Amino acid sequence: MSAKKTENTVVVRKVVRRKMNFAERTYIPEFAKGLAVTMRQFFKNSQPNVEKRDTFTRMYPEEKTVYPDRYRGHHRLMLRDDGQVRCVACMCCSTVCPANCIHITAAEHDDISIEKYPSVFVIDELRCIMCGLCVDACPCDAIRMDSGEHIQPFGERGEAFLNRDLLMSKGSLSMAVQGGENG
Amino acid sequence: MFDFLAPATAEFLVELLITFVKVVLIVFVFVMGVASAMTLLGDRKQSAKIQNRVGPNRAMLFGLPFTRILGIPHFIADGIKMILKENTVPDGAHKGLHLLAPALVFAPSLIGWAGVPFMDFYCTGSITVDPNTYREICAVGPNGEPGVWRNYFQIMNFNAGLLFAFAIAAVSVYGAAIAGWASNSKFSLLGGLRSSAQMISYEVSMGLCLAGVLMIFGTLDLNEMARQQGYLLWGWLPMWGIVVQPLGFFLFFLAGMAETKRAPFDVPEGESEIVAGYITEYSSMKFGIMQLGEYVAVVFISALIAILFLGAWQVPFLFGDGFHFPGMETIEIPYIVVIVLRIGSMLFKILFLVWLQFMMRWTLPRFRYDQIMVLGWKILLPLALANLVVTAFIAAIL
């Protein structure tokens, strides 16, 4: 096999390096400039008025993070007028969930007008990717993610499985009429 | 049998006590305090301020939030960590020398403080200043009998203080070299070689700068040097070393910074090349001592620069009885206030120089090893020689 001679198609651009002048080569004026920058930052960041400093660090536990208005970080289950869970265990959310983190067990409700309800509704927050598709998928406004809260840190794996009652405790009444306008 | 010693002994014991107090106050309170505070404030907080960060501020004592101030608990935690860590000695290391090296790094920078004057001698009588020569005259009694100058603000006064300080500073080379050799590690050996090469190179320039200062003041006594820097040149300019030896000051500052082996001259340590250099194999408090020794060396160099070039304890135009501004009436100040001002001036100068060195440290990028050698031998040394020759000519003419 003979090596095929290829034409060099690489575009070479020559960078013209500027020669340093004497003052720059002595390094002293340049060093003085650098020292001026560090000094300015030092005094700027040492002034008592924290607002005027250049530091961007947020002192986290004392100073809470300000979330944007449309922040979605924590699931909650909405309630019916009588305080029962609004969810009808239709499995839409668990079906659409790309992370497979919603586990629902449907059960028959004593009330004849309610067909099903979730006897178990667990969200595995370790798997959840906070995409909000479950909220989109829900036909009866039973699950929401607009609590404006960040999810709590977990000490144990078990704490990351948020059960129905916990999710309901974060929930509230919905404006939407259960079962639709005609229902 | 020892009766004849009794009066002398009492005096001797008082002297001993005073010396002991001086040692404790200067070395253990001031020097160690500044050096330890530097590890925290200089290295962490100051760099944080320069780099738009906050720096360590989370640790607190006994869970009390107000103890968080300036991140000082971090420093205490560091110390506790250093003490409690396991002390390891590498296999095949020379145990004795491995143990000796940190002491050889640390002790010289503490011993060097013996000659550092924080104030002129204390005058037991009334002090007057000769209006023509600005020399301070200490007198007791109505007829102006010469009073006693007591050495309260300098651990030891001897007429070779500069030589002593310089010789002692040079001893720490042995510490670094021995640490490198005794660790039985290639990284340590290279680090030790580098540090000794660097320190010896820069000591040459440092010594030549000192020779220039020596020609001007004509004394090796550090306190006498400081006293002479209070004299006024042409009647209005304090004769500080920086005024009479500007290039010498610049060179000495640079060489002194290089001598302390801190950034930007920190080639003995190089994470990517030789790990931590000659301190690679050191752990626990031995490592802490090595580090602290470097910081103490920074403070010591600052003190030397302050004494030689910034007038030591001199406040401009302040003499024993008050301010003598040129062309103005003397502003009378009690002697005790003068003492306080002078000590404050010395402390301020040292702290300022330490601060400045840290500013430079966080400004300059790290030099490459060959650049450091070029700077030392090809730039600083010829400049120092030229400075020496010019100074010699001027000193000969005047």
Side-chain angles (χ1 to χ4, degrees):
Chain A
M1 236 172 92
S2 63
K4 195 184 166 192
K5 198 180 177 187
T6 53
E7 209 174 313
N8 188 5
T9 55
V10 179
V11 182
V12 179
R13 195 195 325 172
K14 279 205 172 142
V15 179
V16 183
R17 303 251 178 232
R18 191 174 60 84
K19 275 257 166 74
M20 287 194 287
N21 59 27
F22 180 73
E24 283 167 343
R25 262 182 292 141
T26 59
Y27 204 45
I28 297 166
E30 300 300 308
F31 166 58
K33 276 187 215 166
L35 199 59
V37 171
T38 46
M39 291 252 184
R40 194 179 61 227
Q41 290 305 315
F42 177 78
F43 286 115
K44 198 172 184 188
N45 291 326
S46 300
Q47 58 188 337
N49 189 349
V50 181
E51 294 295 315
K52 286 185 180 170
R53 293 182 188 173
D54 269 352
T55 45
F56 300 104
T57 312
R58 179 177 288 123
M59 299 291 177
Y60 168 61
E62 294 94 39
E63 208 182 302
K64 288 279 185 255
T65 310
V66 181
Y67 288 119
D69 286 346
R70 304 191 59 167
Y71 177 78
R72 304 285 183 261
H74 202 324
H75 301 91
R76 57 194 178 116
L77 282 179
M78 304 299 285
L79 307 176
R80 290 170 191 270
D81 294 342
D82 56 355
Q84 292 188 66
V85 69
R86 211 174 152 84
C87 177
V88 294
C90 69
M91 306 287 182
C92 279
C93 53
S94 68
T95 308
V96 79
C97 180
N100 252 346
C101 69
I102 305 179
H103 307 287
I104 304 173
T105 305
E108 203 171 329
H109 202 277
D110 295 337
D111 187 345
I112 200 76
S113 66
I114 301 172
E115 194 176 339
K116 285 194 290 180
Y117 82 105
S119 64
V120 176
F121 191 106
V122 175
I123 296 181
D124 181 357
E125 293 290 355
L126 289 174
R127 301 195 61 144
C128 178
I129 57 168
M130 307 292 163
C131 63
L133 284 179
C134 48
V135 182
D136 283 351
C138 185
C140 51
D141 191 24
I143 187 165
R144 287 190 186 180
M145 285 184 75
D146 55 353
S147 53
E149 270 178 51
H150 195 272
I151 201 119
Q152 301 291 319
F154 311 120
E156 287 175 36
R157 184 168 289 259
E159 291 171 24
F161 294 92
L162 304 186
N163 61 22
R164 189 191 66 185
D165 296 338
L166 191 84
L167 293 165
M168 278 168 71
S169 70
K170 299 241 172 228
S172 58
L173 297 178
S174 173
M175 297 268 288
V177 180
Q178 184 87 41
E181 293 291 329
N182 305 321
Chain B
M1 183 179 170
F2 293 107
D3 285 351
F4 66 95
L5 274 177
T9 316
E11 217 166 87
F12 174 72
L13 280 179
V14 170
E15 280 291 307
L16 205 65
L17 193 70
I18 290 173
T19 310
F20 184 72
V21 170
K22 282 191 292 193
V23 169
V24 168
L25 277 184
I26 292 177
V27 174
F28 291 105
V29 176
F30 176 67
V31 178
M32 294 294 280
V34 172
S36 349
M38 265 161 53
T39 57
L40 179 89
L41 297 178
D43 250 10
R44 297 187 183 164
K45 280 297 200 186
Q46 195 176 336
S47 66
K49 295 285 179 207
I50 291 164
Q51 295 163 353
N52 290 355
R53 294 184 285 113
V54 175
N57 64 347
R58 286 294 115 179
M60 47 189 164
L61 295 172
F62 314 114
L64 301 170
F66 67 85
T67 56
R68 273 181 185 167
I69 184 154
L70 287 173
I72 285 164
H74 281 271
F75 157 66
I76 296 164
D78 263 6
I80 294 170
K81 180 193 80 175
M82 287 285 179
I83 291 165
L84 295 182
K85 264 188 159 179
E86 187 192 356
N87 178 20
T88 55
V89 179
D91 223 15
H94 191 296
K95 292 238 164 47
L97 289 181
H98 191 265
L99 186 67
L100 182 68
L104 273 182
V105 172
F106 189 56
S109 30
L110 288 186
I111 296 171
W113 287 89
V116 173
F118 282 81
M119 222 302 277
D120 202 354
F121 287 0
Y122 177 76
C123 171
T124 48
S126 65
I127 198 157
T128 49
V129 176
D130 182 359
N132 296 316
T133 57
Y134 293 110
R135 257 149 249 250
E136 288 168 12
I137 300 153
C138 182
V140 189
N143 303 325
E145 294 94 344
V148 189
W149 294 98
R150 288 216 188 257
N151 180 20
Y152 285 151
F153 303 101
Q154 185 184 11
I155 295 176
M156 194 163 63
N157 181 58
F158 48 121
N159 54 15
L162 185 56
L163 271 188
F164 174 76
F166 197 56
I168 285 295
V171 169
S172 56
V173 178
Y174 292 101
I178 288 175
W181 184 80
S183 293
N184 191 28
S185 155
K186 300 286 187 289
F187 294 134
S188 300
L189 190 58
L190 285 172
L193 278 177
R194 276 191 182 192
S195 76
S196 40
Q198 182 189 341
M199 288 176 84
I200 288 169
S201 317
Y202 279 89
E203 248 157 42
V204 178
S205 319
M206 263 174 100
L208 288 173
C209 296
L210 291 185
V213 180
L214 209 59
M215 270 182 217
I216 299 278
F217 296 119
T219 176
L220 279 167
D221 184 343
L222 290 175
N223 192 43
E224 179 59 31
M225 248 180 201
R227 202 179 290 157
Q228 286 194 25
Q229 292 186 53
Y231 299 163
L232 299 181
L233 210 59
W234 307 304
W236 60 273
L237 190 61
M239 213 171 81
W240 285 13
I242 190 171
V243 174
V244 291
Q245 285 274 298
L247 183 64
F249 167 73
F250 182 72
L251 297 177
F252 191 84
F253 196 101
L254 259 182
M257 260 191 89
E259 186 82 3
T260 55
K261 304 191 290 282
R262 307 297 310 172
F265 300 99
D266 62 341
V267 280
E269 309 169 34
E271 192 66 38
S272 53
E273 310 145 31
I274 50 172
V275 195
Y278 60 90
I279 40 181
T280 307
E281 303 295 348
Y282 280 92
S283 60
S284 80
M285 205 54 201
K286 281 192 205 162
F287 170 81
I289 288 286
M290 285 273 199
Q291 287 286 313
L292 205 58
E294 283 189 1
Y295 287 113
V296 174
V298 171
V299 188
F300 182 56
I301 284 292
S302 302
L304 267 190
I305 297 170
I307 294 165
L308 296 173
F309 295 99
L310 296 181
W313 37 262
Q314 296 281 1
V315 180
F317 309 115
L318 177 69
F319 293 93
D321 59 352
F323 281 104
H324 287 255
F325 290 111
M328 279 170 66
E329 288 281 304
T330 303
I331 301 165
E332 299 262 340
I333 287 177
Y335 189 45
I336 184 79
V337 179
V338 171
I339 291 174
V340 170
L341 277 176
R342 282 179 164 176
I343 294 176
S345 155
M346 180 67 180
L347 299 185
F348 171 77
K349 278 167 191 167
I350 293 175
L351 291 178
F352 174 77
L353 284 167
V354 167
W355 175 82
L356 192 65
Q357 288 196 38
F358 271 81
M359 287 307 289
M360 291 168 79
R361 182 179 176 188
W362 294 109
T363 302
L364 287 172
R366 185 170 176 268
F367 288 123
R368 225 166 43 217
Y369 187 65
D370 61 316
Q371 288 172 330
I372 286 188
M373 285 295 138
V374 166
L375 180 68
W377 289 107
K378 287 189 180 168
I379 299 171
L380 287 193
L381 185 62
L383 280 176
L385 277 171
N387 181 49
L388 184 65
V389 170
V390 170
T391 310
F393 268 116
I394 292 173
I397 288 166
L398 294 181

